Amino acid sequence: MTYLVTEACIRCKFTDCVSVCPVDCFREGANMVVIDPEQCIDCGVCVPACPASAIVADTEPGAETWLEHNKTFSALWPTITERKDAFPDAEVWKKTTAKLSFFDSKPGRS
Amino acid sequence: MLLKGTNSPQLKLANGFTFPDLYTRDGLERLDHCYLEYLGATEPALRERLLQARANADSIESKQESALLIELAPTLEEYLAHLFGIEREIQAISAATTSLSPLYECKRTFVKRKVLASVTAESAAQLNGRELTAQMEALLGGSFDELAFAKFVLKWLADGSNAIALGIATSYAAWATMTSEGQTRHASGVLFRTHRKVDHTNPIPLQRVELHGVTTAVLHKSQWRSRDGFSATDLGMNLPQALDQAHYCILCHPQGKDSCSRGLRDRKTDVVQKSSLGAALAGCPLEEKISEMHALRIEGSVLGAFAIILVDNPMVAATGHRICNDCMKACIYQKQEPVDVPQSETSLLKEVLSLPWGFEIYSLLTRWNPLNLRRPFPRPSSGHNVLVVGLGPAGFTLAHYLLNDGHTVVAVDGLKIEPLPASISGIDAAGIRVPFSPIFDVSTLFEDLDSRRVGGFGGVAEYGITVRWNKNYLKLIQLLLERRSTFALYGGVRFGGTLTPADAFAIGFDHVALATGAGRPTHIPMPNSLARGVRMASDFLMALQLTGAAKRTSLANLQLRLPIVVIGGGLTAIDAATEALTYYVRQVEKFLVRYETLAAETEEAVLRSDWTVEDTLVAEEFLSHARVLRNERIAAAEEGRAPRFSEILDSWGGATVAYRKRLQDAPSVTLNHEEVAKALEEGVRFAENLTPLSVEVDTYGHLSAVRFSDGDRNSELPARALLIAAGTQPNTVIARELPGDFQLSGRHFAAVDEDGKRVQPEKGVAKPAAAHVLTSIAPDGRGMSYFGDLHPSYAGNVVKAMASAKQGHPVISRLLARRPPSAITAEALFTALNTDLRATVHAVNRLTPDIVEVIVKAPRAARAFRPGQFFRLQNYESFASSSVDTVLTMEGLALTGAAVDRERGLISTIVLEMGGSSDLCNRLMPGEPVVLMGPTGTPTEIPSDQTVVLVGGGLGNAVLFSIGAAFREANCKVLYFAGYKKATDRYKVEEIENAADVVIWSVDSGEPFPVRRPQDRTFVGNIVAAMQAYAEGALGPPTLALSTAKRLVVIGSDRMMAAVAKARHGALKPHLLASHIAVGSINSPMQCMIKEVCAQCLQIHHDPETGSERIVFSCFNQDQLLDEVDFHCLRERLTQNALQEKLTARWLRHCEFAAPKIPNTTKMETSV
């Protein structure tokens, strides 16, 4: 059981989720964060914290692909434990739905 | 006495309320209006939402409810603070909470997020703590505590320009968090205490040690904790630690993820998940609003947090730390340490209780709680009367809920329940209501558990739970109930004995709720299974904690030697092991003190004059051990440390828990490994995969070892005490006594739904879809229900038992709503029961130099008595005198009813003074309240129209008065052999003559008794010889032939009964019908006498035909076929405490000699 970050995070990266996570299970990529499913305790506290509604439970329809995505990149990216500023145009990107094509697999700056 | 403080301030309630108002329904309703007005004046919208929510309480969504309650809670706190005039204290708590918040802020943002993320354990190990401390001191201007550290770090973080200082702080924090040196420095702190990952498959890290060919699991000696005596072993967290838990809580309720309360469920299937050890993670059985409590606690709203817990758990004093942990097991943190909710809850309770009038606030909130949307204050009187049977956790919680539902509640319990001072409880020992005073400082009620008066209230919570838990809380629960004017409790009353269901309904009860808990302990059949040294764990724990052997001042005898082996894998086994180890120290020290005191007064040879060779051996063992322990105590005092007894006890064999499966399979581990770990800290060993094969005995017949098989090979663990904790069964013994009144389904009562249709309750869930608590409904709507450990859904622990009451009480109320009010008012009911159920001493008469008659006024017990039955007589500790550091409280005495006067409600009991408790009867005063529990046992079978032979020895004759009279009433011819050791032993000659057509008086030696009736005979010699002489015509022609008797009833000492049993197949055989039935009244040692609960009275029987062995409980039926009774077993059981009994008898004489003896003012009455 875990929660997962979906493409809605891409190019927004508000990172409010990071400050509420009790077990520091977020990992930072260049333009999105993911959850380490091994570390997530399924508390769900990050879900309402996300301004982009990017976080879903792994039981949601279509979550399987995001499980793979979070698994893969959490193993490669550094841990992020503190909130940082979102991208300047985050509010704009928040309104965009299909963003996977903009995904950047490089690790974040943490 | 209980009340230490005399200068407590006056309680002045605000808003025109008086203290008595808080105990009337009208007053509470006005209080509710007053609060709503207050709320309306400050927050009108919130008041409107509350009223809306109350009107739609059943449809409100739970997240909405939580949000509303959290908003309301601070307003309730303000209101209560004003009401009780404690605004200052409440503000102080709030301020203290706020002042500590930098600790948690710093822990979260700095220690966890920066330090742990940036420093590895390896690099932390290189840090120099002393240097870092010095550097920090330089930065902070001197020595610093965690709070100062946190404040500075937060300031530096906010300033953003203190890189050097932050660097040092980071290193210091890394050292404090990650090195063992740093952890030790901050052991009692919170800032650097981070949460470990949990290894579910190996919850307790243990060492394996080979012992007598058995591998045992032990905790490394460096982790052992020293324990001395029976004071509370764990006082719980302080405020910073408890707040640390609240801050650690994620506050899952807004997400609907508060698994601590609702259970950890699979998101897809909604099925409750299991721990890796197989325990269901169902969360708090009461579904307390835990996350909401923490949200309020963090904000400093202590009364708000408390009130929100009380919505679901008004009896919160009986839960929490070291009692329950279902919440913690189901905490959302499954991969790391869970939030210690029980600690958090208990700390909250302590915080509230420590307020001025803290108990009064708690008490009020159990009756009026505006956060309870469904029933903010008690319902109007329903006019219905409910009898609650059993005052353990299920019973007392149920009583509370039923009172708030408007019913009159009477509770009975088979145990002795000490009265509380009427000045605080509002009810005196006679059951009369009196005005009571508010309690300013609850700590004045609290006693050291090591010397505390044993209250008896709380059932298993009193005698089954160790001093890990603060049993003073039971006193608070007793007060919560006893102060209610529609409640009364009667201790020493056993349902099924004193009262039957038919009696209850005839008296005017509309419903009977059974909460009698667990009963019958499992006996393990094996050779020598009841040898001396073997006890059921229930017997041991009850003798220790209820009869009071644990106390330094007690006269209770409980002889226990080392090494100790405990068979079982549940918490009872674990508790028995720790308490036995601790008791051993207390026991031998007490033995030594009394021995030395007595030896100073007389010669040692005199002291030892009645000791057997084995007694001497055991005494030397006790005395030498006690001297070693005393030396350790002296050494410890000199070195300024606590004495280290565990290692010494271990060297003498210690205590080993032997379980038939693996450690991780043991229910104690799967359900509560924390308690197992705590026990191992006291030096207890755990041996796995051991199936008991036999008990080995020494040349004296005492237990010397237990043989086990581990599947492959056999091994032998040396043991001088074997405590059996192999599980219990629901206490449904009443269904066997009164089979017409109860339906069983397997081991449980059968369940019916509210229409009376048979249903199958869900097993072991604590949160069943439907609470099927009813077991029968009569056509007129009267019914019976069952709760707690009796119930398959709720059996298992204290909080599940309480959940049964919470979930089940509406079923009772719905059933009662179908009936018209009872014909009898509460007042009339209480008046009748006060007369009927409260026993007092009527007179004490001396019959012989060592026999007294105690006449007790106990009308209902007198009416219920049938010949052959017996009672448990006890004085109250509250009224007992004390002398030379000894409180003269009796162990329960099993006494037969010699005669009854049903009209006057009097029962005559005959007591042989044997040294110890029985000698205290002589001190009972007329009018003194006592416990006369019973009648118990089984009435003697009285067939009609036949010849019956009664054979009585000494005290046993007392039992035969009423039995003989009953036989004669049934048109039987009674031939009575009355035997005595010496002429002065004879008493109540006329009663014996009245009980028999022919009496043969027999005395072992000296002059023959004079004969008063022509048909009677007299003889000098033993009783068997008397029977033989009579039958052979040596005493003159027999007036009633022995050979016509179809039945022999033999009552005397075990040796006398054994001799008669044997002679029937030898010397007496030619004179007896081959087909005669011979019954003895078996005087097994007894303690609870409430039938099959403590199991002290276990007795082995052999089938005379096949030789096969079975076990009976003598307190269930004392009348046993002589040919089946194993008299060797009886002898061994009776002499388990022989050495202690001998010393206690001398000690009591010493006490009575040393203290002015209370003059015996009892007036003589010749008979009842």
Side-chain angles (χ1 to χ4, degrees), chain B residues 11-35 79 82-84 364 368:
Chain B
L11 174 61
K12 290 192 195 80
L13 294 171
N15 304 325
F17 287 95
T18 64
F19 181 56
D21 285 339
L22 307 185
Y23 283 86
T24 65
R25 185 180 179 278
D26 170 64
L28 295 170
E29 194 171 7
R30 280 192 285 121
L31 193 65
D32 192 56
H33 283 306
C34 179
Y35 166 70
Y79 183 80
H82 179 63
L83 183 68
F84 284 88
L364 172 62
W368 170 68

Side-chain angles (χ1 to χ4, degrees), chain B residues 497-520:
Chain B
T498 330
L499 274 177
T500 64
D503 294 335
F505 292 128
I507 290 169
F509 286 104
D510 303 281
H511 190 91
V512 176
L514 302 166
T516 50
R520 195 180 177 110

Side-chain angles (χ1 to χ4, degrees), chain B residues 990-1002:
Chain B
E990 205 170 311
E991 274 80 354
I992 292 189
E993 288 173 347
N994 291 341
D997 295 278
V998 177
V999 181
I1000 290 84
W1001 299 103
S1002 164

